[in-house]
Amino acid sequence: EAQIKGIEVDLLSEVLPSLHQGLVFTFSGAWLDATFTDYRSGQGFDPVTRTYRADMDLTGEQLPRTARLSGTVGLNQALNVPGGALELGVDYYYNSGFSFLAQSDPFTEQDAYGLIGARISYLYDAWGLRATLFGKNLGDETFYYSRFVTDFGTNDAVAPGAVYGLRLNWDF
């Protein structure tokens, strides 16, 4: 049995629209308290011996992959330019960390991390063609998509470091 309590907030607002057109601030955030209320027959790897056990009491532990705090903040600027629209954007994502498994164990935890992203996009209206230069994880932060624990350690799926690219979209 488990219980999840939390709060989620989303905000989208123009910044000083009477002084500056097209600047938009975005924010989304979540706080979660996600715990097992009764989990006396847990299975997993003992944090001391690193061996598999089928008799672990995991009551009170945090649910896997549930960060207590996560959120995104961003700024976007849209400008009318000859032939179409130019958009610039930057954002930051924060995750306070979580455990990949039900038991609290530093061996199976994802530490807190933050990701920076940026993009510049031009839409040529006449053709419906948009070109976007983008960067993701610009701080080259190390974090994991998954972590599978075995008797010999962990098998980690590491998320990509800094990624840069060009994306073309054509609406026809």
Side-chain angles (χ1 to χ4, degrees):
E1 294 179 26
Q3 180 179 18
I4 300 174
K5 295 184 272 185
I7 242 177
E8 185 173 345
V9 176
D10 291 305
L11 172 72
L12 177 102
S13 176
E14 284 188 83
V15 178
L16 303 170
S18 61
L19 298 175
H20 188 79
Q21 293 292 321
L23 184 61
V24 175
F25 171 78
T26 59
F27 171 81
S28 65
W31 170 81
L32 292 176
D33 180 18
T35 56
F36 289 108
T37 56
D38 186 8
Y39 193 5
R40 289 175 269 177
S41 59
Q43 302 176 20
F45 284 84
D46 187 291
V48 176
T49 65
R50 309 263 33 106
T51 57
Y52 178 80
R53 284 183 38 203
D55 62 346
M56 300 173 77
D57 184 357
L58 302 174
T59 303
E61 296 286 349
Q62 189 169 335
L63 271 64
R65 300 188 66 94
T66 55
R68 289 203 182 272
L69 185 64
S70 63
T72 302
V73 62
L75 276 175
N76 294 295
Q77 175 67 60
L79 302 165
N80 290 323
V81 295
L86 183 69
E87 294 181 22
L88 304 128
V90 63
D91 55 67
Y92 178 77
Y93 169 76
Y94 174 77
N95 185 305
S96 65
F98 53 85
S99 181
F100 284 98
L101 300 178
Q103 68 264 25
S104 291
D105 179 1
F107 197 62
T108 65
E109 289 180 356
Q110 168 62 62
D111 293 332
Y113 63 95
L115 305 174
I116 300 168
R119 67 215 150 276
I120 184 168
S121 176
Y122 175 71
L123 171 65
Y124 184 61
D125 281 328
W127 295 353
L129 183 64
R130 179 183 302 271
T132 305
L133 286 170
F134 67 89
K136 297 180 179 182
N137 191 9
L138 295 175
D140 203 24
E141 187 80 21
T142 300
F143 66 104
Y144 302 95
Y145 282 146
S146 67
R147 176 170 277 174
F148 182 72
V149 180
T150 69
D151 288 331
F152 305 104
T154 61
N155 183 2
D156 299 330
V158 180
V163 175
Y164 306 92
L166 171 65
R167 183 173 44 242
L168 296 174
N169 297 77
W170 181 32
D171 291 332
F172 54 93

